[in-house]
Amino acid sequence: MPAIKNKSLNHQSKEWLRRHLKDPYVLQSQKDNYRSRAAYKLIEINQKFNIFKNVKMALDLGAAPGSWSEVLVKELKLPTKIVAIDLLNVDPISQVEIFKDDFTSDKFRAYIEKLEPFDLIVSDISPNMTGHRQTDFLRSMEMLEEAFALALDRLNNGGHFVAKYFRRGDLGALLVEAKKKFTKVSSFKPNASRKNSSEIYLVCYKKK
Ligand SMILES: C[S@@+](CC[C@H](N)C(=O)[O-])C[C@H]1O[C@@H](n2cnc3c(N)ncnc32)[C@H](O)[C@@H]1O
């Protein structure tokens, strides 16, 4: 590993960079040509829950820099339509229709309402964190609720919904609703998700 000499980096940043450069998922993503190590979280979720089978229409919420969409392109059997959206720019990915927008915007909503329903909706959305535990939990819940409502509206029967949330509070009514609307509901922390992160994925399998 190259020595980290940049004097402008403070101690914490140097530590982060040192860990990042040694991280096996970072090294693997470079070999497999994925834009980020996050790719392996979706790969693991699929290995456990088999969510890619028979998917013809997929939606990737919070897609930047684009590794989940890259996994979808690689793993889903064509012909498949993949739509991806993020507030940030996502460099083009062949076979993926990319939007730079808020996924809750009226414009995006109007667009997807014109499409056939999806067989798979994945959300790796992370709102900007403030560091204040309760505020951050509420923000992430708000995003999860929006994505869940969209999934109930735009998923085919038999379709799956996967969404990141943060294990800092109770999913409450959303979990009750998910169990009514899907055949199986699980929470799953992939090995690729850093141990010190409170992120976890809600996997809602087969919409009824
Ligand atoms: C952890 S990153 C996603 C990583 C991505 N799954 C990948 O594999 O490359 C989370 C993303 O959620 C996006 N995001 C947060 N709020 C959003 C919103 N309301 N609409 C769209 N994207 C949003 C952020 O801009 C950020 O890029």
Side-chain angles (χ1 to χ4, degrees):
M1 194 189 12
I4 298 162
K5 287 186 178 148
N6 190 335
K7 286 200 176 115
S8 64
L9 292 177
N10 64 25
H11 177 69
Q12 254 187 335
S13 311
K14 279 187 192 160
E15 267 313 300
W16 181 88
L17 194 57
R18 199 168 275 130
R19 261 186 282 126
H20 184 76
L21 293 173
K22 279 201 303 196
D23 182 326
Y25 293 102
V26 172
L27 299 174
Q28 195 59 41
S29 64
Q30 287 159 354
K31 281 191 200 142
D32 294 342
N33 258 328
Y34 285 124
R35 293 177 186 187
S36 91
R37 68 188 295 294
Y40 301 100
K41 300 178 194 174
L42 185 59
I43 289 171
E44 274 183 65
I45 291 169
N46 180 53
Q47 280 164 352
K48 185 151 173 77
F49 296 96
N50 194 22
I51 52 171
F52 290 166
K53 204 173 158 203
N54 297 329
V55 171
K56 297 270 184 295
M57 292 278 294
L59 175 60
D60 181 6
L61 304 174
S67 68
W68 280 28
S69 284
E70 290 178 318
V71 170
L72 293 173
V73 169
K74 209 165 165 181
E75 300 292 329
L76 298 179
K77 303 287 170 272
L78 294 170
T80 304
K81 183 174 176 72
I82 301 167
V83 178
I85 182 163
D86 203 289
L87 294 169
L88 304 177
N89 189 57
V90 177
D91 287 341
I93 302 171
S94 161
Q95 297 157 27
V96 181
E97 191 173 1
I98 296 168
F99 291 81
K100 186 178 176 191
D101 200 352
D102 187 323
F103 82 102
T104 65
S105 74
D106 292 344
K107 192 168 156 218
F108 183 66
R109 209 42 213 258
Y111 172 72
I112 57 168
E113 256 152 37
K114 285 196 223 121
L115 301 177
E116 293 290 311
F118 293 94
D119 307 302
L120 176 66
I121 299 181
V122 293
S123 165
D124 197 20
I125 285 190
S126 303
N128 281 335
M129 294 298 180
T130 62
H132 182 266
R133 197 182 165 87
Q134 191 57 13
T135 310
D136 290 344
F137 176 70
L138 291 175
R139 278 190 182 185
S140 83
M141 268 313 284
E142 201 183 318
M143 290 292 106
L144 178 63
E145 280 164 6
E146 290 276 0
F148 182 68
L150 189 147
L152 289 186
D153 189 33
R154 300 306 303 152
L155 259 187
N156 264 323
N157 289 347
H160 316 301
F161 172 61
V162 173
K164 172 153 76 189
Y165 70 97
F166 293 88
R167 198 167 30 188
R168 294 185 188 116
D170 186 3
L171 293 189
L174 190 143
L175 199 53
V176 175
E177 188 70 359
K179 286 180 179 166
K180 279 191 212 153
K181 298 283 166 63
F182 288 85
T183 310
K184 194 173 158 212
V185 178
S186 312
S187 285
F188 177 61
K189 184 155 175 90
N191 289 324
S193 172
R194 295 183 201 278
K195 301 276 172 291
N196 60 356
S197 157
S198 66
E199 75 174 11
I200 184 161
Y201 291 85
L202 181 70
V203 182
C204 299
Y205 188 76
K206 273 197 181 172
K207 184 170 165 244
K208 290 180 191 164

